[in-house]
C-alpha cells in the first residue's frame, strides 16, 4: 500500500535539515511498528520519500511523505498511530492511500506557498514593489493572481498585510526556485540585512486535470 | 542594541538562523523530558558539542534517573560552538538548557561530565556564559551548585578551583544521594557552606574548599590526616537496568544507535589504561537483561542498530549467546548489532563474521606496540602470530579494511620498537598476498593509527613520563619513513595536543590558573584539531608561571606523593607499584578471568567480580 502523509515541521523542528526530518519520520514509523517495505540488496533502507527539501530554519504546515507498506492499513488508524509516536513539532495532519504508479512527490510538486513574517516596520507597498522587481511580473499581474491560478511566473503574492508593526506576506513560488535566494534578494531590496524574517511553508501543490490540488487529493 | 523582546524563544528565532546546525540548541527531541516546575532543577552540562555529548551514555543514564523523581527536573546543555558563543555574547544572552530554554544560573545544580581533559576550557566557557564566577569560592550564596563527574575526576586537582563538588566513580546511586542533600538543604535553608559540608559526608564526594589546598601532597584534613575519597561503585551492576528511553537526537551524532553497556570494568590489566583500573572489578550484565533492555529501547526510539558497549566486549563470558539473543530481537531488514571493541584474536573475527552488516565497516584491533617485548611491558600479551593471524582471518573473511591502533612514547620504548610497527604491518601485507593472491591483496587497506602515550593517574604507568613533542615527532617521522606500502594509511595525533593533554592529566592544583588563563586567551574545543591552539596554551603556561615540561615530561618517583593520592580507586598503590616494576622487567600479569588473582585490592567485602557464566576467577581474593 502506498500511503501519503501530510505533516508539520513546526516548533523546534523548524531547525531540522531535510535529512534530519527524513530520519525523524523514519524513526517515528519504526516506533509505530509500521510494516514499512524495505528496498532489496546490500543495504536495505525503508521506502520512504519526502516532498521537496526545505532549508534549515524554515518551518512548515504542509510537508508530505510517501510510505510503502507491506500491508493495507486504515488511513485514520495510521494517522493516529503515528501521532502517538511523533515528536511535538511533527504532527500528522492527514493520511491517504495513493494508487500505485503515481509520480513521486519530488517530481509531482510544482508550486509551494510560503508565509514570511518580516519583523520590521516596512510598508506593504515597499514589499510589493520589491517583489515586483524580483518576480518579473507587473503589479497588476500580481494583484490579479487567484489562489488556484498556476500562472505565477517567478512568484506571486497571495496576500500582503501589516498587522502590529510587522509585515506578513503570503507568496507562491515554483518549486524549482530557491527559497533562500528569494528571501536574500528580498532582504537586499528592502535594506533589511539583519532583521528577523520568519518563513514557513504553508502549502504545496500538484497539478491534476489542469488544476492545482493538495498532494493528498492527487 | 535594542532587542525584540525579553522572550527567550523570540531571541532564538533571531539568532539561530545565524549559526551552523541550530538544532544543536533547540531541543524538542523525542523522549526529552520537559517539566514545568520542580523542587530541584538540575542541568547536565556536557562540555562538548551536541553531537558528541548526545553519544555519551552517562548523560542518558543520569538524565533518566534524575527525571524519574517527580520532584526533580533534569535538563541538558552542551558547549556552544564558537559561532553560537559569539551570538550569545553579542546579544547578552545566557547559556540555556535545551528543554525549557532556561538560563543555567536559574538551576539548583549544574553537573559537568568531565570525560576528557581537553574539554576543560569548554567547562570554563560554559560557566562564564552562565554569568557565574569561574572560581568556586567566589560564587554567590544563591548560585547553582557546580558538580562534576567522569573519568578525569580521578585526578580532580586541575579543575578543583572551579568545581564545588566532585563525584568520583559510578554516578547512578550517588547522584540521588547528592540531590536529596541539596533538596534538604534548600528546604531547611542551611546555606551553601553547610550544604557542602553535608555533601562531603557522602561517600565518593570530594569538596575541595573544605581542605587546605595550598600545602603539599597528600591532601590533609583539619586533623592532619590524609584525605581519602573512595570511589563509588555499583556492586550489583548486573541487576541495574539500562536506560529505557534515551533522548533521540534529530542531528546525526557519533553513535546514532542504541548503546547498551554489556559490562563494566575490564580484566585484562593493560598497564597504560586508566579506565581498566578505575572501573574495576568487572561486572557483566546477564544476556536476558541486555536483550530485554535492547528490545525496550528499540520500541521507544526507533533505532535500528544496537552497539554492545564495554571496554572489551568480546570478553563477556556469554558473548556468543549474547549475539544470538540480540541479533534476533528485531525482524526489520535493517537491524544490525555491532561490536565496538574487539580483542585481537581469531575468535573475535568469528564473532564479527556472524553479524551481518559488520563487513561494511572496517574491523579495528589494538595491538598497541610493535614488538613482543614492548607488548609484555604494557601487559598486552599478544604474540606476532596472534596479530597476523587475526588480520589474515579478517581479510580472508571478506573484510577489505582493517584499522590497527598503536601507541608511541610507551615506557622503555626504543626506536627499534617503533620501526617494528612498520615491519609488523608489512609482514601482514606479505602474508595476505601469499594467502589471497596478488590480485585480491591489491584491494586490501590497513590504516595504522598511532596515538601518543599519555601517562594517566591510577594506572600502573602513572609515574612514567610523557615524551616531549619533539621526541614524539621524531618517532612519528621514523615510523612514516619505514611505512612505505601504498596499501597502508598512517594517521597520527598532533604532538602539541598530546603535550597539553599529558599536562592536564598529570598536573595538580597548579593547573587551575593555567586552565583559567587558557580560557581567557580564547581556548575552546581543544579536543578538535581545527580549534586547538598549542601556542595559546604555551602562553597560558608561561603567564601562569608553570613549567609544562615539569608537569608532563618528568618521570615521578614511586615513593613520592602524587596529586591524586586522595582519590581511592580501590586498587592499592602497592599493586600499582608492583605492576610498574613488573612492566620495567617485562613480566606479564595474568587476566582476572584466568583463575589467578593478582591481588589488586579492589575486590573486598561484597565488592566482587561478576561473570555471567559462573565465576571463573579466584573467589578467595581479598
Amino acid at each position: 500500500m502506498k500511503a501519503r502523509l501530510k505533516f508539520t515541521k513546526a516548533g523546534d523542528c523548524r531547525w531540522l535539515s531535510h535529512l534530519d526530518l527524513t530520519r525523524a519520520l523514519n524513526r517515528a514509523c519504526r516506533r509505530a511498528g509500521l510494516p514499512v517495505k524495505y528496498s532489496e540488496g546490500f543495504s536495505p533502507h525503508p521506502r520512504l520519500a519526502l516532498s521537496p527539501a526545505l532549508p534549515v530554519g524554515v518551518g512548515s504546515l504542509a510537508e508530505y511523505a510517501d510510505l510503502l507498506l507491506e500491508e493495507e492499513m486504515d488511513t485514520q488508524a495510521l494517522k493516529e498511530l503515528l501521532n502517538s509516536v511523533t515528536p511535538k513539532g511533527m504532527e500528522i495532519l492527514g493520511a491517504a492511500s495513493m494508487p500505485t504508479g503515481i509520480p513521486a512527490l519530488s517530481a509531482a510538486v510544482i508550486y509551494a506557498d510560503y508565509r514570511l513574517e518580516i519583523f520590521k516596520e516596512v510598508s506593504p507597498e515597499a514589499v510589493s514593489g520589491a517583489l515586483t522587481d524580483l518576480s518579473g511580473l507587473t503589479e497588476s499581474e500580481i494583484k490579479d493572481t487567484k489562489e488556484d491560478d498556476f500562472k505565477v511566473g517567478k512568484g506571486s503574492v497571495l496576500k500582503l498585510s501589516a498587522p502590529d508593526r510587522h509585515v506578513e506576506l503570503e507568496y507562491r513560488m515554483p518549486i524549482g526556485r530557491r527559497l533562500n535566494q528569494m528571501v536574500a534578494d528580498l532582504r537586499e531590496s528592502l535594506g533589511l540585512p539583519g532583521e528577523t524574517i520568519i518563513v514557513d511553508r504553508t502549502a504545496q501543490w500538484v497539478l491534476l486535470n489542469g488544476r492545482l490540488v493538495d498532494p493528498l487529493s492527487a | 542594541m535594542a532587542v525584540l523582546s525579553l522572550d527567550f524563544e523570540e531571541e532564538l528565532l533571531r539568532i539561530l538562523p545565524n549559526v551552523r546546525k541550530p538544532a544543536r540548541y533547540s531541543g524538542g527531541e523525542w523522549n526529552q523530558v520537559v517539566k514545568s516546575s520542580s523542587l530541584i532543577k538540575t542541568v547536565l552540562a556536557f562540555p562538548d558539542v551536541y553531537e558528541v555529548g548526545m553519544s555519551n551514555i552517562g548523560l542518558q543514564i543520569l538524565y533518566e534517573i534524575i527525571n524519574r523523581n517527580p520532584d526533580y527536573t533534569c535538563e541538558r546543555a552542551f558547549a556552544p560552538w564558537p559561532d553560537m558563543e559569539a551570538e550569545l555574547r553579542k546579544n547578552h544572552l545566557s547559556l540555556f538548557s535545551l528543554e525549557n530554554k532556561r538560563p543555567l544560573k536559574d538551576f539548583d545544580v549544574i553537573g559537568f561530565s568531565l570525560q576528557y581533559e581537553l574539554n576543560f576550557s569548554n567547562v570554563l566557557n560554559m560557566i562564564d556564559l552562565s554569568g557565574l564566577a569561574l572560581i568556586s569560592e567566589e560564587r554567590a550564596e544563591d548560585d547553582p551548585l557546580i558538580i562534576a563527574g567522569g573519568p578525569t575526576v580521578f585526578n580532580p586537582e586541575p579543575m578543583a578551583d572551579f568545581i564545588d563538588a566532585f563525584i568520583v566513580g559510578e554516578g547512578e546511586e550517588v547522584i540521588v544521594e547528592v540531590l536529596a542533600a541539596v533538596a534538604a538543604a534548600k528546604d531547611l535553608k542551611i546555606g551553601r557552606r553547610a550544604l557542602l559540608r553535608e555533601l562531603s559526608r557522602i561517600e565518593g564526594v570530594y569538596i575541595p574548599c573544605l581542605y587546605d589546598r595550598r600545602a603539599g601532597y597528600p591532601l590533609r584534613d583539619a586533623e592532619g590526616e590524609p584525605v581519602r575519597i573512595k570511589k563509588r561503585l555499583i556492586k550489583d551492576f548486573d541487576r541495574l537496568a539500562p536506560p529505557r528511553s534515551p533522548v533521540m537526537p534529530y542531528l546525526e551524532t557519533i553513535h546514532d544507535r542504541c548503546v547498551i553497556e554489556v559490562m563494566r570494568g575490564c580484566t585484562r590489566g593493560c598497564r597504560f589504561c586508566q579506565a581498566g583500573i578505575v572501573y574495576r572489578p568487572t561486572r557483566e550484565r546477564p544476556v536476558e537483561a541486555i536483550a530485554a533492555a535492547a528490545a525496550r529501547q528499540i520500541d521507544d526510539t526507533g533505532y535500528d542498530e544496537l552497539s554492545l558497549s564495554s571496554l572489551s566486549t568480546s570478553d563477556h563470558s556469554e558473548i556468543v549467546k549474547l549475539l544470538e539473543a540480540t541479533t534476533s530481537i528485531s525482524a526489520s531488514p535493517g537491524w544490525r548489532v555491532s561490536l565496538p571493541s574487539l580483542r585481537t584474536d581469531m575468535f573475535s573475527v568469528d564473532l564479527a563474521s556472524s553479524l551481518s552488516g559488520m563487513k561494511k565497516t572496517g574491523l579495528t584491533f589494538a595491538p598497541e606496540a610493535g614488538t613482543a617485548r614492548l607488548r609484555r611491558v604494557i601487559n598486552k600479551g599478544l604474540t606476532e602470530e596472534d596479530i597476523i593471524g587475526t588480520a589474515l582471518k579478517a581479510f580472508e573473511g571478506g573484510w577489505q579494511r582493517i584499522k590497527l591502533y598503536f601507541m608511541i612514547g610507551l615506557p622503555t620504548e626504543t626506536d627499534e620498537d617503533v620501526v617494528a610497527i612498520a615491519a609488523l604491518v608489512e609482514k601482514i601485507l606479505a602474508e595476505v598476498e601469499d594467502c589471497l593472491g596478488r590480485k585480491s591483496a591489491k584491494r586490501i587497506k590497513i590504516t595504522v593509527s598511532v596515538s601518543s602515550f599519555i601517562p594517566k593517574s591510577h594506572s600502573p604507568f602513572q609515574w612514567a613520563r610523557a615524551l616531549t613533542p619533539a621526541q614524539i615527532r621524531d618517532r612519528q617521522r621514523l615510523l612514516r619513513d619505514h611505512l612505505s606500502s601504498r596499501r597502508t594509511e598512517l594517521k597520527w595525533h598532533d604532538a602539541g595536543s598530546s603535550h597539553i593533554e599529558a599536562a592536564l592529566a598529570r598536573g595538580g592544583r597548579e593547573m587551575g590558573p593555567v586552565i583559567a588563563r587558557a580560557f581567557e586567551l580564547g581556548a575552546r574545543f581543544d579536543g578538535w584539531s581545527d580549534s586547538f591552539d598549542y601556542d595559546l596554551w604555551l602562553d597560558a603556561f608561561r603567564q601562569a608561571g608553570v613549567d609544562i615540561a615539569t608537569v608532563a615530561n618528568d618521570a615521578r618517583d614511586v615513593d613520592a606523593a602524587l596529586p591524586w593520592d586522595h582519590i581511592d580507586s580501590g586498587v592499592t598503590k602497592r599493586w600499582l607499584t608492583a605492576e610498574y616494576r613488573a612492566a620495567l622487567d617485562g613480566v606479564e600479569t595474568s587476566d582476572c578471568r584466568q583463575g589467578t588473582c593478582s591481588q589488586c585490592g579492589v575486590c573486598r567485602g561484597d565488592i566482587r567480580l561478576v561473570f555471567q557464566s559462573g565465576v571463573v576467577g579466584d573467589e578467595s581474593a581479598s
Side-chain angles (χ1 to χ4, degrees):
Chain A
M1 167 189 175
K2 186 174 200 169
R4 181 165 287 178
L5 307 171
K6 179 178 184 181
F7 61 98
T8 64
K9 183 194 178 200
D12 295 315
C13 289
R14 164 187 302 281
W15 307 110
L16 304 187
S17 70
H18 185 70
L19 277 178
D20 296 333
L21 192 64
T22 309
R23 196 170 28 236
L25 186 59
N26 209 350
R27 287 172 179 169
C29 290
R30 268 203 293 277
R31 288 195 289 273
L34 293 181
V36 180
K37 231 185 176 113
Y38 272 72
S39 63
E40 313 285 314
F42 196 56
S43 179
H45 57 267
R47 302 287 303 274
L48 172 73
L50 266 60
S51 49
L54 271 180
V56 169
V58 177
S60 178
L61 300 172
E63 290 307 289
Y64 298 85
D66 283 342
L67 197 55
L68 274 182
L69 300 174
E70 297 276 4
E71 346 167 317
E72 291 290 320
M73 251 191 102
D74 172 60
T75 50
Q76 181 62 22
L78 172 61
K79 177 183 154 189
E80 281 166 20
L81 181 56
L82 266 177
N83 273 331
S84 69
V85 292
T86 47
K88 228 169 65 171
M90 279 175 66
E91 190 194 332
I92 314 295
L93 299 173
S97 179
M98 293 283 121
T100 50
I102 60 161
L105 283 163
S106 51
V109 172
I110 57 168
Y111 290 120
D113 295 350
Y114 300 92
R115 181 178 60 226
L116 277 70
E117 285 179 75
I118 302 169
F119 281 84
K120 172 86 182 185
E121 288 209 60
V122 187
S123 70
E125 291 72 36
V127 176
S128 171
L131 289 170
T132 314
D133 297 334
L134 297 175
S135 73
L137 293 177
T138 65
E139 212 175 291
S140 60
E141 280 173 320
I142 290 174
K143 286 205 176 74
D144 286 337
T145 304
K146 292 196 250 317
E147 232 190 76
D148 62 351
D149 190 339
F150 55 92
K151 292 190 191 63
V152 294
K154 273 195 186 173
S156 79
V157 175
L158 301 174
K159 191 169 152 200
L160 188 52
S161 59
D164 288 334
R165 298 168 69 212
H166 72 269
V167 177
E168 249 180 52
L169 164 68
E170 287 180 31
Y171 192 68
R172 176 167 299 170
M173 274 189 358
I175 204 73
R177 190 167 164 211
R178 281 184 59 226
L179 177 63
N180 279 347
Q181 190 60 58
M182 175 265 179
V183 177
D185 289 344
L186 187 63
R187 269 189 200 284
E188 209 190 302
S189 285
L190 295 172
L192 309 171
E195 303 306 325
T196 306
I197 299 184
I198 298 173
V199 185
D200 289 282
R201 186 186 259 166
T202 53
Q204 298 189 53
W205 303 103
V206 301
L207 203 56
L208 185 67
N209 302 325
R211 303 201 72 241
L212 291 185
V213 297
D214 181 307
L216 276 190
S217 327
Chain B
M1 175 192 173
V3 294
L4 257 178
S5 83
L6 293 169
D7 183 29
F8 217 87
E9 299 275 0
E10 287 199 39
E11 289 291 348
L12 287 187
L13 275 170
R14 198 163 57 82
I15 67 177
L16 287 183
N18 303 333
V19 303
R20 279 199 66 219
K21 300 197 181 171
R24 286 171 171 162
Y25 316 104
S26 49
E29 310 100 312
W30 178 254
N31 284 336
Q32 75 163 358
V33 178
V34 182
K35 297 182 187 174
S36 52
S37 71
S38 65
L39 247 47
I40 298 294
K41 300 179 187 56
T42 67
V43 58
L44 292 178
F46 197 93
D48 207 327
V49 79
Y50 177 93
E51 299 96 289
V52 174
M54 283 298 287
S55 295
N56 182 265
I57 195 169
L59 181 92
Q60 304 279 13
I61 291 172
L62 293 179
Y63 188 79
E64 195 157 293
I65 287 175
I66 299 171
N67 274 319
R68 211 175 276 159
N69 187 320
D71 290 331
Y72 303 156
T73 194
C74 184
E75 302 183 31
R76 298 159 296 144
F78 300 90
W81 199 247
D83 56 0
M84 183 60 168
E85 180 191 341
E87 287 290 331
L88 291 175
R89 290 192 188 276
K90 189 170 76 177
N91 294 288
H92 309 288
L93 295 172
S94 162
L95 186 62
F96 54 90
S97 65
L98 265 60
E99 283 76 357
N100 280 315
K101 314 296 189 288
R102 176 178 288 133
L104 259 52
K105 202 174 186 176
D106 292 349
F107 284 85
D108 295 293
V109 178
I110 301 174
F112 281 102
S113 172
L114 299 185
Q115 293 294 312
Y116 183 35
E117 290 86 354
L118 295 180
N119 285 343
F120 289 171
S121 60
N122 283 348
V123 174
L124 268 61
N125 192 29
M126 291 171 80
I127 295 175
D128 187 57
L129 282 172
S130 305
L132 298 166
L134 286 184
I135 306 292
S136 162
E137 285 169 18
E138 289 172 15
R139 278 179 216 131
E141 181 65 27
D142 289 328
D143 278 345
L145 188 72
I146 298 188
I147 69 179
T152 68
V153 313
F154 277 86
N155 178 22
E157 291 310 301
M159 289 294 282
D161 287 344
F162 319 110
I163 303 294
D164 301 322
F166 288 94
I167 296 185
V168 180
E170 296 166 23
E172 288 96 332
E173 288 166 359
V174 62
I175 191 64
V176 172
E177 293 164 23
V178 166
L179 292 181
V182 172
K186 193 173 182 183
D187 193 41
L188 299 168
K189 298 188 178 29
I190 68 170
R192 199 180 181 82
R193 190 85 188 170
L195 167 61
L196 290 173
R197 260 181 270 119
E198 273 308 305
L199 290 174
S200 72
R201 291 190 234 283
I202 299 172
E203 186 175 277
V205 179
Y206 166 47
I207 310 285
C209 75
L210 295 181
Y211 309 101
D212 179 4
R213 295 172 53 241
R214 288 159 307 164
Y217 299 115
L219 194 68
R220 290 181 191 277
D221 61 20
E223 281 87 52
E225 290 304 309
V227 175
R228 291 294 274 173
I229 310 288
K230 267 180 71 174
K231 79 169 183 194
R232 289 298 291 259
L233 168 77
I234 309 296
K235 297 190 281 279
D236 304 316
F237 175 72
D238 50 326
R239 274 180 265 156
L240 183 72
R244 290 187 70 102
S245 313
V247 180
M248 289 286 288
Y250 285 125
L251 293 175
E252 204 168 348
T253 60
I254 313 277
H255 292 307
D256 231 348
R257 55 187 81 98
C258 290
V259 179
I260 296 191
E261 287 175 277
V262 306
M263 61 185 174
R264 277 205 189 146
C266 181
T267 53
R268 308 237 129 214
C270 302
R271 291 174 177 141
F272 53 81
C273 182
Q274 183 194 55
I277 299 295
V278 304
Y279 284 105
R280 289 188 173 216
T282 297
R283 292 145 287 149
E284 295 178 356
R285 268 199 170 114
V287 171
E288 307 74 48
I290 297 168
R296 267 200 312 268
Q297 271 198 22
I298 303 170
D299 270 347
D300 248 349
T301 59
Y303 274 135
D304 60 355
E305 185 176 338
L306 168 67
S307 174
L308 300 176
S309 168
S310 75
L311 293 169
S312 182
T313 300
S314 37
D315 279 348
H316 192 287
S317 59
E318 299 200 314
I319 185 65
V320 174
K321 203 169 137 198
L322 179 56
L323 289 184
E324 281 166 13
T326 48
T327 45
S328 54
I329 285 176
S330 165
S332 162
W335 176 244
R336 276 185 57 191
V337 175
S338 63
L339 289 176
S341 35
L342 290 175
R343 218 165 48 206
T344 309
D345 61 19
M346 301 198 257
F347 174 65
S348 297
V349 181
D350 281 336
L351 290 179
S353 294
S354 71
L355 299 173
S356 70
M358 282 285 280
K359 296 206 182 134
K360 285 183 243 137
T361 55
L363 280 186
T364 302
F365 300 105
E368 305 291 13
T371 57
R373 182 202 74 82
L374 190 52
R375 285 193 296 271
R376 276 194 297 273
V377 168
I378 64 179
N379 208 34
K380 196 75 194 190
L382 287 170
T383 64
E384 199 166 88
E385 288 70 45
D386 288 331
I387 299 169
I388 298 177
T390 304
L392 205 55
K393 190 140 210 244
F395 290 131
E396 282 174 338
W399 273 274
Q400 303 207 314
R401 283 176 15 236
I402 67 169
K403 192 181 214 178
L404 298 174
Y405 281 124
F406 289 93
M407 262 191 283
I408 50 176
L410 290 164
T412 76
E413 180 185 274
T414 62
D415 283 353
E416 187 192 304
D417 295 304
V418 176
V419 171
I421 296 174
L424 180 58
V425 174
E426 300 289 346
K427 220 167 177 179
I428 295 173
L429 289 170
E431 292 276 337
V432 169
E433 207 172 286
D434 273 349
C435 293
L436 294 188
R438 197 172 211 139
K439 205 169 159 209
S440 300
K442 276 206 160 72
R443 282 183 274 115
I444 294 308
K445 176 130 162 265
I446 298 183
T447 302
V448 180
S449 179
V450 182
S451 61
S452 315
F453 165 66
I454 310 262
K456 294 271 172 159
S457 59
H458 303 278
S459 71
F461 286 166
Q462 62 183 355
W463 299 277
R465 63 182 292 268
L467 293 187
T468 64
Q471 290 171 320
I472 291 178
R473 285 188 199 112
D474 279 344
R475 294 193 194 182
Q476 286 172 343
R477 214 170 307 129
L478 184 63
L479 182 57
R480 208 157 50 237
D481 289 342
H482 281 83
L483 200 64
S484 51
S485 169
R486 262 182 303 131
R487 278 169 288 145
T488 62
E489 185 192 349
L490 180 62
K491 292 186 162 167
W492 60 86
H493 283 207
D494 173 57
S497 166
S498 302
H499 199 199
I500 303 306
E501 188 185 335
L504 292 170
R506 297 182 92 212
R509 54 185 78 109
E510 76 283 358
M511 293 301 296
V514 177
I515 299 168
R517 199 78 266 275
F519 157 70
E520 283 155 16
L521 290 172
R524 304 283 189 276
F525 289 98
D526 296 310
W528 294 66
S529 54
D530 290 342
S531 315
F532 176 73
D533 185 344
Y534 185 51
D535 291 325
L536 183 159
W537 274 94
L538 289 183
D539 280 344
F541 272 90
R542 262 193 295 275
Q543 290 175 26
V546 176
D547 177 34
I548 186 173
T550 310
V551 182
N553 309 114
D554 284 353
R556 293 185 189 164
D557 193 68
V558 294
D559 297 314
L562 296 167
W564 48 83
D565 277 345
H566 48 297
I567 306 298
D568 181 1
S569 69
V571 167
T572 64
K573 207 171 196 185
R574 188 170 33 89
W575 185 83
L576 289 173
T577 313
E579 276 296 294
Y580 188 41
R581 296 213 166 101
L584 299 177
D585 290 337
V587 173
E588 290 173 287
T589 298
S590 68
D591 190 316
C592 304
R593 291 175 192 272
Q594 283 158 10
T596 43
C597 172
S598 60
Q599 312 271 358
C600 74
V602 81
C603 291
R604 50 185 113 122
D606 50 357
I607 297 173
R608 74 238 183 281
L609 292 159
V610 178
F611 299 133
Q612 288 307 314
S613 71
V615 177
V616 177
D618 180 351
E619 268 187 308
S620 64
S622 62

